[in-house]
Amino acid sequence: MSKLKIAIFLSGRGSNFEAILKNIETKSLDAKIECVVSNNPNAAGLNIASTYNIPTYTFSPKKFKNTEEYEEAILSKLSNHPIDLIVCAGYMKLIGPTLLNAFTNKIINIHPSLLPSFKGLNAQKQALEYGVKLSGCTVHFVDSSLDGGAIIRQVSVDVKEGDTEETLSKRILKQEHIVYSNVIQLFAKGHITIKNRNIIIN
Ligand code: GRF
């Protein structure tokens, strides 16, 4: 079976991207990262891509008239590659209809909370402020809503007394680095079926 061809979308540090790269290197993930797309020219994740000689495409959304034109520019670069799956890894921009229509059920995201709790920014801070005893991370398909697409897999993490945003984020991130590659591998092997909001893993 040929490798799953991935485009990574990121805006920042890229630790999830790096974890995926490492899992590909150690052959626990049958995938190939074709390219990295970023809306932030200063994203540290772009340096990781350069280290691995992975093509990067950076776009400034502000330079485009609207999201449609921005995403059409992304699509024209993606068309240079045989992309099976878009993996959002800290991509801090809502995906619009242009990309969603071109990659229906082929865009996934990871979010640092147990969705549907604590959508949006600073999910770990939201969880601490709310006072939950369990948080975690969620891998989900991307749809037009904010962090609202069908849930593929979740991992729970204890919230401990005295946790700060930093300590909780670190504990969750450790799990993110494992579960994201696991889900991508399931996708690569065709084990994920989407039926409305219900994901069946076989
Ligand atoms: C992660 O916490 C992820 O869940 C969220 O953004 C963060 C990205 O971190 N969507 P990194 O850039 O992968 O280190």
Side-chain angles (χ1 to χ4, degrees):
M1 206 177 179
S2 71
K3 288 181 194 299
L4 186 81
K5 311 283 195 310
I6 295 174
I8 298 277
F9 280 35
L10 55 76
S11 307
R13 124 194 103 176
S15 73
N16 275 288
F17 165 43
E18 196 165 24
I20 292 165
L21 278 168
K22 295 255 148 63
N23 287 322
I24 291 173
E25 269 184 341
T26 57
K27 302 206 186 314
S28 53
L29 182 49
D30 297 320
K32 177 172 183 251
I33 298 183
E34 284 283 332
C35 61
V36 172
V37 170
S38 181
N39 62 332
N40 172 16
N42 301 316
L46 293 171
N47 301 330
I48 302 171
S50 306
T51 312
Y52 282 79
N53 289 319
I54 296 169
T56 59
Y57 304 115
T58 305
F59 304 87
S60 278
K62 277 185 285 182
K63 290 197 179 143
F64 294 87
K65 218 166 62 193
N66 48 39
T67 303
E68 189 182 340
E69 288 194 3
Y70 164 72
E71 291 193 341
E72 267 163 9
I74 294 179
L75 276 181
S76 88
K77 291 295 181 194
L78 290 183
S79 68
N80 297 331
H81 304 272
I83 304 295
D84 301 310
L85 182 70
I86 293 177
V87 173
C88 297
Y91 181 62
M92 305 300 280
K93 189 163 170 29
L94 259 186
I95 303 273
T98 306
L99 277 168
L100 284 173
N101 290 335
F103 286 89
T104 306
N105 294 336
K106 288 181 178 170
I107 310 179
I108 60 172
N109 182 45
I110 189 158
H111 183 76
S113 77
L114 294 177
L115 290 170
S117 293
F118 313 126
K119 294 178 177 177
L121 291 175
N122 307 318
Q124 303 93 331
K125 184 162 177 260
Q126 293 183 53
L128 286 173
E129 283 173 359
Y130 197 93
V132 291
K133 301 296 181 199
L134 264 186
S135 191
C137 53
T138 303
V139 181
H140 62 91
F141 279 105
V142 173
D143 66 11
S144 56
S145 64
L146 173 68
D147 300 325
I151 290 172
I152 305 169
R153 193 157 262 191
Q154 298 186 292
V155 178
S156 64
V157 164
D158 286 336
V159 179
K160 298 190 176 162
E161 264 174 45
D163 255 344
T164 60
E165 196 182 342
E166 198 190 349
T167 56
L168 179 60
S169 300
K170 201 171 160 199
R171 198 174 310 119
I172 294 173
L173 196 62
K174 202 171 161 192
Q175 297 305 319
E176 291 185 40
H177 292 166
I178 300 167
V179 71
Y180 216 5
S181 290
N182 288 346
V183 167
I184 295 167
Q185 180 68 357
L186 287 171
F187 198 96
K189 297 291 170 200
H191 290 318
I192 298 178
T193 311
I194 177 164
K195 265 196 173 175
N196 303 317
R197 280 208 62 84
N198 294 318
I199 301 294
I200 298 150
I201 296 181
N202 48 29

